[in-house]
Amino acid sequence: MKTLQFKTNINCGGCLRGVTPFLNEKDGIKSWQVDLQSDDRILTVEADDSVSPTEVRQIVAEAGFQAQPLDRP
């Protein structure tokens, strides 16, 4: 299991409702959440090792939003 984090433009409850079916349908994603209090609207995804950051970005894009991976030291 791994944790992936992304800066997003998901910024309200309506946005969350829009992206929810896309993220929930992806096999390998165990859980996810968006911190709407953060200026960067951080999306945190708990996923199997088979799920790549590129796949998460594509799923979010299909829902009409952007997700940029956070750089980790």
Side-chain angles (χ1 to χ4, degrees):
M1 187 86 79
K2 62 185 172 184
T3 301
L4 303 171
Q5 290 191 309
F6 303 84
K7 178 179 176 179
T8 72
N9 63 343
I10 299 168
N11 59 19
C12 68
C15 298
L16 284 175
R17 283 189 297 278
V19 76
T20 293
F22 291 87
L23 289 169
N24 286 351
E25 289 176 8
K26 173 64 180 163
D27 289 336
I29 293 180
K30 300 303 180 191
S31 66
W32 62 272
Q33 67 178 12
V34 178
D35 182 356
L36 296 179
Q37 303 305 311
S38 164
D39 289 341
D40 291 333
R41 308 297 196 246
I42 303 299
L43 166 64
T44 302
V45 177
E46 297 290 332
D48 292 338
D49 290 334
S50 63
V51 177
S52 73
T54 301
E55 287 177 297
V56 175
R57 287 183 65 202
Q58 290 171 343
I59 291 166
V60 172
E62 286 176 27
F65 300 97
Q66 298 173 358
Q68 298 299 322
L70 291 181
D71 293 329
R72 289 184 166 175

Short mmCIF file of all heavy atoms in Angstrom, two decimals:
data_model
loop_
_atom_site.label_atom_id
_atom_site.label_comp_id
_atom_site.label_asym_id
_atom_site.label_seq_id
_atom_site.Cartn_x
_atom_site.Cartn_y
_atom_site.Cartn_z
N MET A 1 0.85 -1.17 0.00
CA MET A 1 0.00 0.00 0.00
C MET A 1 0.90 1.24 0.00
O MET A 1 1.94 1.26 0.63
CB MET A 1 -0.89 -0.01 1.24
CG MET A 1 -1.92 1.08 1.24
SD MET A 1 -3.43 0.67 0.41
CE MET A 1 -4.23 -0.31 1.64
N LYS A 2 0.48 2.25 -0.73
CA LYS A 2 1.23 3.49 -0.77
C LYS A 2 0.29 4.69 -0.68
O LYS A 2 -0.91 4.56 -0.94
CB LYS A 2 2.08 3.58 -2.03
CG LYS A 2 1.27 3.58 -3.33
CD LYS A 2 2.21 3.55 -4.52
CE LYS A 2 1.43 3.36 -5.82
NZ LYS A 2 2.30 3.23 -6.96
N THR A 3 0.87 5.82 -0.33
CA THR A 3 0.12 7.07 -0.24
C THR A 3 0.62 8.01 -1.32
O THR A 3 1.82 8.25 -1.43
CB THR A 3 0.32 7.72 1.15
OG1 THR A 3 -0.12 6.81 2.15
CG2 THR A 3 -0.47 9.02 1.25
N LEU A 4 -0.31 8.51 -2.12
CA LEU A 4 0.00 9.47 -3.18
C LEU A 4 -0.69 10.79 -2.83
O LEU A 4 -1.83 10.78 -2.36
CB LEU A 4 -0.50 8.97 -4.52
CG LEU A 4 0.00 7.60 -4.97
CD1 LEU A 4 -0.76 7.14 -6.21
CD2 LEU A 4 1.50 7.65 -5.25
N GLN A 5 0.00 11.90 -3.08
CA GLN A 5 -0.61 13.20 -2.81
C GLN A 5 -0.48 14.10 -4.02
O GLN A 5 0.54 14.08 -4.72
CB GLN A 5 0.03 13.86 -1.60
CG GLN A 5 -0.32 13.16 -0.30
CD GLN A 5 0.09 13.96 0.90
OE1 GLN A 5 1.23 14.38 1.01
NE2 GLN A 5 -0.84 14.15 1.82
N PHE A 6 -1.54 14.90 -4.24
CA PHE A 6 -1.62 15.76 -5.41
C PHE A 6 -2.21 17.12 -5.03
O PHE A 6 -3.12 17.19 -4.21
CB PHE A 6 -2.57 15.15 -6.46
CG PHE A 6 -2.18 13.78 -6.89
CD1 PHE A 6 -2.56 12.68 -6.14
CD2 PHE A 6 -1.43 13.59 -8.04
CE1 PHE A 6 -2.20 11.40 -6.54
CE2 PHE A 6 -1.07 12.30 -8.44
CZ PHE A 6 -1.45 11.22 -7.69
N LYS A 7 -1.70 18.16 -5.65
CA LYS A 7 -2.32 19.47 -5.57
C LYS A 7 -3.42 19.48 -6.62
O LYS A 7 -3.18 19.10 -7.77
CB LYS A 7 -1.29 20.56 -5.87
CG LYS A 7 -1.84 21.95 -5.85
CD LYS A 7 -0.75 22.96 -6.14
CE LYS A 7 -1.34 24.35 -6.21
NZ LYS A 7 -0.31 25.35 -6.47
N THR A 8 -4.63 19.91 -6.24
CA THR A 8 -5.76 19.85 -7.17
C THR A 8 -6.51 21.17 -7.25
O THR A 8 -6.27 22.09 -6.47
CB THR A 8 -6.78 18.77 -6.75
OG1 THR A 8 -7.48 19.22 -5.59
CG2 THR A 8 -6.12 17.43 -6.49
N ASN A 9 -7.45 21.23 -8.19
CA ASN A 9 -8.38 22.35 -8.26
C ASN A 9 -9.79 21.90 -7.84
O ASN A 9 -10.77 22.51 -8.20
CB ASN A 9 -8.38 22.99 -9.65
CG ASN A 9 -8.86 22.05 -10.74
OD1 ASN A 9 -8.90 20.83 -10.57
ND2 ASN A 9 -9.19 22.60 -11.89
N ILE A 10 -9.85 20.82 -7.06
CA ILE A 10 -11.11 20.35 -6.47
C ILE A 10 -11.34 21.21 -5.24
O ILE A 10 -10.60 21.10 -4.26
CB ILE A 10 -11.00 18.86 -6.08
CG1 ILE A 10 -10.72 18.01 -7.31
CG2 ILE A 10 -12.25 18.39 -5.35
CD1 ILE A 10 -10.31 16.58 -7.01
N ASN A 11 -12.33 22.13 -5.29
CA ASN A 11 -12.39 23.12 -4.22
C ASN A 11 -13.73 23.26 -3.50
O ASN A 11 -13.91 24.20 -2.74
CB ASN A 11 -11.93 24.48 -4.73
CG ASN A 11 -12.77 24.96 -5.88
OD1 ASN A 11 -13.87 24.50 -6.10
ND2 ASN A 11 -12.23 25.90 -6.65
N CYS A 12 -14.67 22.35 -3.75
CA CYS A 12 -15.97 22.46 -3.06
C CYS A 12 -16.66 21.11 -3.02
O CYS A 12 -16.21 20.14 -3.64
CB CYS A 12 -16.85 23.49 -3.77
SG CYS A 12 -17.39 22.99 -5.42
N GLY A 13 -17.77 21.06 -2.32
CA GLY A 13 -18.53 19.83 -2.20
C GLY A 13 -19.05 19.33 -3.55
O GLY A 13 -19.10 18.13 -3.81
N GLY A 14 -19.44 20.26 -4.42
CA GLY A 14 -19.90 19.87 -5.75
C GLY A 14 -18.79 19.22 -6.55
O GLY A 14 -19.02 18.24 -7.28
N CYS A 15 -17.58 19.74 -6.42
CA CYS A 15 -16.42 19.15 -7.09
C CYS A 15 -16.17 17.74 -6.57
O CYS A 15 -15.88 16.82 -7.34
CB CYS A 15 -15.18 20.01 -6.88
SG CYS A 15 -15.27 21.68 -7.53
N LEU A 16 -16.29 17.59 -5.25
CA LEU A 16 -16.10 16.26 -4.66
C LEU A 16 -17.11 15.27 -5.21
O LEU A 16 -16.76 14.13 -5.53
CB LEU A 16 -16.22 16.33 -3.14
CG LEU A 16 -15.04 16.91 -2.38
CD1 LEU A 16 -15.37 17.02 -0.90
CD2 LEU A 16 -13.79 16.08 -2.59
N ARG A 17 -18.36 15.70 -5.33
CA ARG A 17 -19.39 14.81 -5.89
C ARG A 17 -19.06 14.45 -7.33
O ARG A 17 -19.35 13.34 -7.77
CB ARG A 17 -20.76 15.46 -5.79
CG ARG A 17 -21.35 15.41 -4.40
CD ARG A 17 -22.80 15.86 -4.35
NE ARG A 17 -22.98 17.26 -4.72
CZ ARG A 17 -22.80 18.29 -3.92
NH1 ARG A 17 -22.41 18.08 -2.67
NH2 ARG A 17 -23.01 19.53 -4.33
N GLY A 18 -18.46 15.36 -8.06
CA GLY A 18 -18.12 15.09 -9.45
C GLY A 18 -17.00 14.08 -9.62
O GLY A 18 -17.02 13.25 -10.52
N VAL A 19 -16.01 14.14 -8.74
CA VAL A 19 -14.84 13.27 -8.87
C VAL A 19 -15.03 11.92 -8.16
O VAL A 19 -14.38 10.94 -8.50
CB VAL A 19 -13.56 14.00 -8.37
CG1 VAL A 19 -13.49 14.05 -6.87
CG2 VAL A 19 -12.31 13.38 -8.95
N THR A 20 -15.95 11.86 -7.21
CA THR A 20 -16.14 10.64 -6.41
C THR A 20 -16.36 9.38 -7.23
O THR A 20 -15.65 8.38 -7.01
CB THR A 20 -17.29 10.84 -5.40
OG1 THR A 20 -16.89 11.83 -4.45
CG2 THR A 20 -17.64 9.55 -4.67
N PRO A 21 -17.29 9.35 -8.19
CA PRO A 21 -17.48 8.09 -8.92
C PRO A 21 -16.25 7.65 -9.69
O PRO A 21 -16.00 6.45 -9.82
CB PRO A 21 -18.66 8.37 -9.85
CG PRO A 21 -18.90 9.83 -9.82
CD PRO A 21 -18.22 10.38 -8.62
N PHE A 22 -15.47 8.58 -10.17
CA PHE A 22 -14.27 8.24 -10.93
C PHE A 22 -13.22 7.59 -10.05
O PHE A 22 -12.65 6.55 -10.40
CB PHE A 22 -13.69 9.49 -11.60
CG PHE A 22 -14.54 10.04 -12.70
CD1 PHE A 22 -15.55 10.94 -12.43
CD2 PHE A 22 -14.34 9.65 -14.02
CE1 PHE A 22 -16.35 11.45 -13.44
CE2 PHE A 22 -15.14 10.15 -15.04
CZ PHE A 22 -16.14 11.05 -14.74
N LEU A 23 -12.96 8.17 -8.88
CA LEU A 23 -11.96 7.60 -7.98
C LEU A 23 -12.45 6.32 -7.33
O LEU A 23 -11.67 5.39 -7.12
CB LEU A 23 -11.57 8.63 -6.92
CG LEU A 23 -10.74 9.81 -7.43
CD1 LEU A 23 -10.63 10.89 -6.37
CD2 LEU A 23 -9.36 9.36 -7.89
N ASN A 24 -13.73 6.25 -7.01
CA ASN A 24 -14.27 5.05 -6.36
C ASN A 24 -14.29 3.84 -7.28
O ASN A 24 -14.27 2.71 -6.81
CB ASN A 24 -15.68 5.32 -5.82
CG ASN A 24 -15.67 6.17 -4.57
OD1 ASN A 24 -14.62 6.46 -3.99
ND2 ASN A 24 -16.85 6.59 -4.16
N GLU A 25 -14.35 4.06 -8.59
CA GLU A 25 -14.42 2.94 -9.53
C GLU A 25 -13.06 2.32 -9.84
O GLU A 25 -12.98 1.23 -10.38
CB GLU A 25 -15.05 3.40 -10.85
CG GLU A 25 -16.53 3.66 -10.72
CD GLU A 25 -17.15 4.20 -12.00
OE1 GLU A 25 -16.46 4.24 -13.04
OE2 GLU A 25 -18.32 4.62 -11.95
N LYS A 26 -11.97 3.00 -9.50
CA LYS A 26 -10.64 2.51 -9.85
C LYS A 26 -10.21 1.39 -8.91
O LYS A 26 -10.11 1.58 -7.70
CB LYS A 26 -9.63 3.67 -9.79
CG LYS A 26 -8.19 3.25 -9.97
CD LYS A 26 -7.93 2.66 -11.33
CE LYS A 26 -6.46 2.27 -11.46
NZ LYS A 26 -6.22 1.36 -12.55
N ASP A 27 -9.99 0.21 -9.48
CA ASP A 27 -9.46 -0.90 -8.70
C ASP A 27 -8.09 -0.51 -8.18
O ASP A 27 -7.28 0.07 -8.90
CB ASP A 27 -9.34 -2.16 -9.55
CG ASP A 27 -10.69 -2.77 -9.89
OD1 ASP A 27 -11.66 -2.54 -9.14
OD2 ASP A 27 -10.78 -3.47 -10.92
N GLY A 28 -7.85 -0.82 -6.94
CA GLY A 28 -6.55 -0.54 -6.35
C GLY A 28 -6.54 0.69 -5.47
O GLY A 28 -5.66 0.84 -4.64
N ILE A 29 -7.50 1.59 -5.64
CA ILE A 29 -7.61 2.74 -4.75
C ILE A 29 -8.45 2.30 -3.55
O ILE A 29 -9.61 1.94 -3.70
CB ILE A 29 -8.23 3.97 -5.44
CG1 ILE A 29 -7.28 4.50 -6.52
CG2 ILE A 29 -8.56 5.05 -4.42
CD1 ILE A 29 -7.80 5.71 -7.27
N LYS A 30 -7.83 2.31 -2.39
CA LYS A 30 -8.50 1.85 -1.17
C LYS A 30 -9.29 2.97 -0.50
O LYS A 30 -10.37 2.75 0.02
CB LYS A 30 -7.48 1.27 -0.19
CG LYS A 30 -6.72 0.08 -0.75
CD LYS A 30 -7.65 -1.02 -1.18
CE LYS A 30 -6.88 -2.19 -1.74
NZ LYS A 30 -7.73 -3.16 -2.40
N SER A 31 -8.71 4.18 -0.50
CA SER A 31 -9.40 5.34 0.07
C SER A 31 -8.77 6.60 -0.49
O SER A 31 -7.65 6.57 -1.02
CB SER A 31 -9.31 5.33 1.60
OG SER A 31 -7.97 5.51 2.02
N TRP A 32 -9.51 7.69 -0.37
CA TRP A 32 -9.00 8.98 -0.82
C TRP A 32 -9.75 10.09 -0.12
O TRP A 32 -10.84 9.87 0.39
CB TRP A 32 -9.12 9.12 -2.34
CG TRP A 32 -10.53 9.07 -2.83
CD1 TRP A 32 -11.24 7.95 -3.17
CD2 TRP A 32 -11.41 10.18 -3.03
NE1 TRP A 32 -12.52 8.30 -3.56
CE2 TRP A 32 -12.64 9.67 -3.48
CE3 TRP A 32 -11.29 11.55 -2.86
CZ2 TRP A 32 -13.72 10.48 -3.77
CZ3 TRP A 32 -12.37 12.37 -3.16
CH2 TRP A 32 -13.57 11.83 -3.61
N GLN A 33 -9.14 11.25 -0.07
CA GLN A 33 -9.79 12.41 0.52
C GLN A 33 -9.14 13.67 -0.04
O GLN A 33 -7.99 13.64 -0.48
CB GLN A 33 -9.71 12.40 2.03
CG GLN A 33 -8.32 12.56 2.59
CD GLN A 33 -8.31 12.60 4.11
OE1 GLN A 33 -9.30 12.29 4.75
NE2 GLN A 33 -7.19 12.98 4.68
N VAL A 34 -9.89 14.76 -0.03
CA VAL A 34 -9.38 16.06 -0.45
C VAL A 34 -9.47 17.00 0.74
O VAL A 34 -10.53 17.12 1.35
CB VAL A 34 -10.17 16.63 -1.64
CG1 VAL A 34 -9.65 18.01 -2.02
CG2 VAL A 34 -10.11 15.69 -2.84
N ASP A 35 -8.37 17.66 1.05
CA ASP A 35 -8.34 18.65 2.13
C ASP A 35 -8.79 19.99 1.56
O ASP A 35 -8.00 20.72 0.96
CB ASP A 35 -6.94 18.75 2.71
CG ASP A 35 -6.85 19.73 3.86
OD1 ASP A 35 -7.87 20.39 4.17
OD2 ASP A 35 -5.76 19.85 4.45
N LEU A 36 -10.08 20.29 1.70
CA LEU A 36 -10.62 21.53 1.17
C LEU A 36 -10.19 22.75 1.97
O LEU A 36 -10.36 23.88 1.52
CB LEU A 36 -12.15 21.45 1.11
CG LEU A 36 -12.74 20.40 0.18
CD1 LEU A 36 -14.26 20.43 0.26
CD2 LEU A 36 -12.27 20.59 -1.25
N GLN A 37 -9.62 22.55 3.15
CA GLN A 37 -9.13 23.66 3.97
C GLN A 37 -7.75 24.12 3.53
O GLN A 37 -7.35 25.26 3.79
CB GLN A 37 -9.08 23.25 5.44
CG GLN A 37 -10.42 22.78 5.99
CD GLN A 37 -11.52 23.81 5.80
OE1 GLN A 37 -11.34 24.97 6.13
NE2 GLN A 37 -12.65 23.39 5.26
N SER A 38 -7.01 23.27 2.85
CA SER A 38 -5.67 23.60 2.37
C SER A 38 -5.77 24.50 1.15
O SER A 38 -6.64 24.31 0.29
CB SER A 38 -4.93 22.31 2.00
OG SER A 38 -3.80 22.60 1.21
N ASP A 39 -4.88 25.48 1.05
CA ASP A 39 -4.85 26.35 -0.14
C ASP A 39 -4.58 25.55 -1.41
O ASP A 39 -5.01 25.93 -2.49
CB ASP A 39 -3.79 27.43 0.01
CG ASP A 39 -4.18 28.48 1.04
OD1 ASP A 39 -5.38 28.59 1.36
OD2 ASP A 39 -3.27 29.19 1.51
N ASP A 40 -3.86 24.44 -1.28
CA ASP A 40 -3.51 23.60 -2.43
C ASP A 40 -4.52 22.50 -2.70
O ASP A 40 -4.36 21.73 -3.63
CB ASP A 40 -2.11 22.99 -2.25
CG ASP A 40 -1.01 24.03 -2.33
OD1 ASP A 40 -1.22 25.05 -3.01
OD2 ASP A 40 0.04 23.82 -1.71
N ARG A 41 -5.58 22.40 -1.87
CA ARG A 41 -6.62 21.38 -2.06
C ARG A 41 -5.99 20.00 -2.28
O ARG A 41 -6.13 19.39 -3.33
CB ARG A 41 -7.54 21.72 -3.22
CG ARG A 41 -8.13 23.11 -3.19
CD ARG A 41 -9.02 23.31 -1.98
NE ARG A 41 -9.87 24.47 -2.12
CZ ARG A 41 -9.78 25.56 -1.37
NH1 ARG A 41 -8.88 25.64 -0.43
NH2 ARG A 41 -10.60 26.57 -1.55
N ILE A 42 -5.29 19.53 -1.28
CA ILE A 42 -4.49 18.31 -1.40
C ILE A 42 -5.38 17.07 -1.46
O ILE A 42 -6.19 16.83 -0.56
CB ILE A 42 -3.50 18.18 -0.23
CG1 ILE A 42 -2.57 19.40 -0.16
CG2 ILE A 42 -2.69 16.89 -0.34
CD1 ILE A 42 -1.74 19.63 -1.38
N LEU A 43 -5.20 16.30 -2.52
CA LEU A 43 -5.84 15.00 -2.68
C LEU A 43 -4.86 13.95 -2.18
O LEU A 43 -3.72 13.88 -2.66
CB LEU A 43 -6.17 14.73 -4.16
CG LEU A 43 -6.52 13.30 -4.55
CD1 LEU A 43 -7.82 12.84 -3.88
CD2 LEU A 43 -6.63 13.18 -6.07
N THR A 44 -5.28 13.16 -1.21
CA THR A 44 -4.47 12.07 -0.68
C THR A 44 -5.14 10.76 -1.05
O THR A 44 -6.32 10.57 -0.77
CB THR A 44 -4.32 12.17 0.85
OG1 THR A 44 -3.74 13.45 1.17
CG2 THR A 44 -3.45 11.05 1.41
N VAL A 45 -4.38 9.89 -1.70
CA VAL A 45 -4.91 8.61 -2.18
C VAL A 45 -4.12 7.48 -1.53
O VAL A 45 -2.88 7.46 -1.61
CB VAL A 45 -4.79 8.51 -3.72
CG1 VAL A 45 -5.27 7.15 -4.21
CG2 VAL A 45 -5.56 9.63 -4.39
N GLU A 46 -4.83 6.56 -0.90
CA GLU A 46 -4.23 5.32 -0.39
C GLU A 46 -4.53 4.25 -1.44
O GLU A 46 -5.69 3.99 -1.74
CB GLU A 46 -4.83 4.92 0.95
CG GLU A 46 -4.58 5.91 2.06
CD GLU A 46 -3.13 5.94 2.52
OE1 GLU A 46 -2.45 4.91 2.40
OE2 GLU A 46 -2.70 7.01 2.99
N ALA A 47 -3.46 3.64 -1.98
CA ALA A 47 -3.66 2.72 -3.10
C ALA A 47 -2.67 1.57 -3.06
O ALA A 47 -1.61 1.66 -2.44
CB ALA A 47 -3.51 3.49 -4.42
N ASP A 48 -3.05 0.51 -3.78
CA ASP A 48 -2.14 -0.60 -3.98
C ASP A 48 -0.95 -0.13 -4.80
O ASP A 48 -1.03 0.88 -5.51
CB ASP A 48 -2.83 -1.73 -4.76
CG ASP A 48 -3.94 -2.40 -3.98
OD1 ASP A 48 -3.94 -2.31 -2.73
OD2 ASP A 48 -4.82 -3.00 -4.61
N ASP A 49 0.13 -0.88 -4.75
CA ASP A 49 1.33 -0.53 -5.51
C ASP A 49 1.09 -0.52 -7.02
O ASP A 49 1.87 0.06 -7.76
CB ASP A 49 2.47 -1.48 -5.17
CG ASP A 49 2.99 -1.26 -3.75
OD1 ASP A 49 2.84 -0.13 -3.23
OD2 ASP A 49 3.54 -2.20 -3.16
N SER A 50 0.01 -1.14 -7.46
CA SER A 50 -0.27 -1.21 -8.90
C SER A 50 -0.81 0.11 -9.46
O SER A 50 -0.84 0.30 -10.68
CB SER A 50 -1.29 -2.32 -9.18
OG SER A 50 -2.52 -2.02 -8.54
N VAL A 51 -1.21 1.04 -8.59
CA VAL A 51 -1.78 2.31 -9.03
C VAL A 51 -0.67 3.36 -9.12
O VAL A 51 0.02 3.61 -8.13
CB VAL A 51 -2.88 2.79 -8.07
CG1 VAL A 51 -3.43 4.14 -8.50
CG2 VAL A 51 -4.00 1.77 -8.00
N SER A 52 -0.50 3.95 -10.29
CA SER A 52 0.56 4.94 -10.48
C SER A 52 0.02 6.37 -10.33
O SER A 52 -1.18 6.60 -10.52
CB SER A 52 1.18 4.78 -11.87
OG SER A 52 0.29 5.25 -12.86
N PRO A 53 0.89 7.32 -10.04
CA PRO A 53 0.47 8.72 -10.00
C PRO A 53 -0.13 9.17 -11.33
O PRO A 53 -1.09 9.93 -11.35
CB PRO A 53 1.77 9.47 -9.69
CG PRO A 53 2.61 8.48 -8.96
CD PRO A 53 2.28 7.16 -9.60
N THR A 54 0.40 8.68 -12.43
CA THR A 54 -0.13 9.03 -13.74
C THR A 54 -1.57 8.57 -13.89
O THR A 54 -2.41 9.30 -14.42
CB THR A 54 0.74 8.42 -14.87
OG1 THR A 54 2.07 8.93 -14.72
CG2 THR A 54 0.20 8.76 -16.23
N GLU A 55 -1.89 7.37 -13.41
CA GLU A 55 -3.27 6.88 -13.48
C GLU A 55 -4.21 7.76 -12.67
O GLU A 55 -5.31 8.07 -13.12
CB GLU A 55 -3.34 5.43 -12.96
CG GLU A 55 -2.75 4.42 -13.90
CD GLU A 55 -2.79 3.03 -13.31
OE1 GLU A 55 -2.14 2.80 -12.26
OE2 GLU A 55 -3.49 2.17 -13.88
N VAL A 56 -3.79 8.16 -11.48
CA VAL A 56 -4.63 9.01 -10.65
C VAL A 56 -4.86 10.35 -11.36
O VAL A 56 -5.99 10.85 -11.41
CB VAL A 56 -4.02 9.22 -9.25
CG1 VAL A 56 -4.85 10.22 -8.45
CG2 VAL A 56 -3.92 7.89 -8.50
N ARG A 57 -3.81 10.93 -11.93
CA ARG A 57 -3.95 12.19 -12.67
C ARG A 57 -4.95 12.04 -13.82
O ARG A 57 -5.78 12.92 -14.05
CB ARG A 57 -2.60 12.64 -13.23
CG ARG A 57 -1.66 13.17 -12.17
CD ARG A 57 -0.37 13.67 -12.76
NE ARG A 57 -0.68 14.83 -13.60
CZ ARG A 57 0.10 15.26 -14.58
NH1 ARG A 57 1.21 14.61 -14.88
NH2 ARG A 57 -0.23 16.32 -15.28
N GLN A 58 -4.88 10.91 -14.53
CA GLN A 58 -5.80 10.68 -15.65
C GLN A 58 -7.23 10.53 -15.18
O GLN A 58 -8.16 11.05 -15.81
CB GLN A 58 -5.36 9.44 -16.43
CG GLN A 58 -4.09 9.64 -17.21
CD GLN A 58 -3.55 8.35 -17.82
OE1 GLN A 58 -3.92 7.25 -17.42
NE2 GLN A 58 -2.65 8.49 -18.78
N ILE A 59 -7.44 9.84 -14.07
CA ILE A 59 -8.79 9.67 -13.52
C ILE A 59 -9.36 11.02 -13.13
O ILE A 59 -10.52 11.33 -13.45
CB ILE A 59 -8.75 8.71 -12.31
CG1 ILE A 59 -8.42 7.29 -12.76
CG2 ILE A 59 -10.06 8.75 -11.54
CD1 ILE A 59 -8.04 6.37 -11.63
N VAL A 60 -8.57 11.83 -12.45
CA VAL A 60 -9.04 13.15 -12.02
C VAL A 60 -9.33 14.02 -13.25
O VAL A 60 -10.34 14.74 -13.29
CB VAL A 60 -8.01 13.81 -11.07
CG1 VAL A 60 -8.38 15.25 -10.77
CG2 VAL A 60 -7.89 13.00 -9.77
N ALA A 61 -8.50 13.91 -14.28
CA ALA A 61 -8.71 14.67 -15.52
C ALA A 61 -10.01 14.24 -16.21
O ALA A 61 -10.74 15.09 -16.75
CB ALA A 61 -7.53 14.50 -16.46
N GLU A 62 -10.31 12.96 -16.20
CA GLU A 62 -11.56 12.46 -16.79
C GLU A 62 -12.78 13.08 -16.09
O GLU A 62 -13.81 13.29 -16.71
CB GLU A 62 -11.65 10.94 -16.68
CG GLU A 62 -10.76 10.20 -17.63
CD GLU A 62 -10.81 8.70 -17.41
OE1 GLU A 62 -11.85 8.18 -16.93
OE2 GLU A 62 -9.80 8.03 -17.72
N ALA A 63 -12.62 13.37 -14.79
CA ALA A 63 -13.70 13.98 -14.03
C ALA A 63 -13.76 15.50 -14.25
O ALA A 63 -14.68 16.15 -13.76
CB ALA A 63 -13.52 13.68 -12.54
N GLY A 64 -12.78 16.04 -14.97
CA GLY A 64 -12.79 17.46 -15.30
C GLY A 64 -11.95 18.33 -14.38
O GLY A 64 -12.11 19.55 -14.36
N PHE A 65 -11.03 17.71 -13.65
CA PHE A 65 -10.20 18.46 -12.70
C PHE A 65 -8.72 18.20 -12.98
O PHE A 65 -8.37 17.34 -13.78
CB PHE A 65 -10.55 18.07 -11.26
CG PHE A 65 -11.97 18.37 -10.92
CD1 PHE A 65 -12.94 17.37 -11.00
CD2 PHE A 65 -12.37 19.64 -10.57
CE1 PHE A 65 -14.26 17.64 -10.72
CE2 PHE A 65 -13.70 19.92 -10.29
CZ PHE A 65 -14.65 18.91 -10.37
N GLN A 66 -7.87 18.96 -12.29
CA GLN A 66 -6.43 18.81 -12.44
C GLN A 66 -5.84 18.25 -11.15
O GLN A 66 -6.32 18.56 -10.06
CB GLN A 66 -5.78 20.16 -12.74
CG GLN A 66 -6.25 20.78 -14.02
CD GLN A 66 -5.72 22.20 -14.19
OE1 GLN A 66 -5.04 22.73 -13.33
NE2 GLN A 66 -6.04 22.80 -15.32
N ALA A 67 -4.78 17.48 -11.29
CA ALA A 67 -4.05 16.95 -10.13
C ALA A 67 -2.58 16.91 -10.50
O ALA A 67 -2.19 16.28 -11.47
CB ALA A 67 -4.54 15.56 -9.77
N GLN A 68 -1.79 17.62 -9.71
CA GLN A 68 -0.34 17.64 -9.89
C GLN A 68 0.32 16.94 -8.71
O GLN A 68 0.09 17.34 -7.56
CB GLN A 68 0.17 19.09 -10.00
CG GLN A 68 -0.37 19.85 -11.17
CD GLN A 68 0.01 19.20 -12.50
OE1 GLN A 68 1.12 18.69 -12.67
NE2 GLN A 68 -0.91 19.20 -13.44
N PRO A 69 1.15 15.93 -8.97
CA PRO A 69 1.81 15.24 -7.85
C PRO A 69 2.63 16.21 -7.02
O PRO A 69 3.27 17.11 -7.56
CB PRO A 69 2.71 14.22 -8.54
CG PRO A 69 2.11 14.03 -9.90
CD PRO A 69 1.51 15.36 -10.27
N LEU A 70 2.58 16.02 -5.71
CA LEU A 70 3.41 16.82 -4.82
C LEU A 70 4.80 16.23 -4.81
O LEU A 70 4.98 15.01 -4.76
CB LEU A 70 2.84 16.81 -3.40
CG LEU A 70 1.53 17.54 -3.18
CD1 LEU A 70 1.13 17.43 -1.71
CD2 LEU A 70 1.64 19.00 -3.58
N ASP A 71 5.78 17.10 -4.85
CA ASP A 71 7.17 16.65 -4.75
C ASP A 71 7.44 16.29 -3.30
O ASP A 71 7.14 17.06 -2.40
CB ASP A 71 8.14 17.74 -5.20
CG ASP A 71 8.02 18.02 -6.69
OD1 ASP A 71 7.70 17.07 -7.44
OD2 ASP A 71 8.24 19.17 -7.10
N ARG A 72 8.01 15.13 -3.13
CA ARG A 72 8.38 14.69 -1.79
C ARG A 72 9.89 14.62 -1.70
O ARG A 72 10.53 14.16 -2.63
CB ARG A 72 7.81 13.30 -1.50
CG ARG A 72 6.33 13.31 -1.31
CD ARG A 72 5.92 11.92 -0.93
NE ARG A 72 4.57 11.91 -0.41
CZ ARG A 72 3.94 10.83 -0.09
NH1 ARG A 72 4.51 9.66 -0.23
NH2 ARG A 72 2.71 10.89 0.37
N PRO A 73 10.46 15.06 -0.56
CA PRO A 73 11.92 15.00 -0.41
C PRO A 73 12.42 13.57 -0.35
O PRO A 73 11.71 12.66 -0.06
CB PRO A 73 12.18 15.72 0.90
CG PRO A 73 10.87 15.87 1.58
CD PRO A 73 9.80 15.61 0.57
#
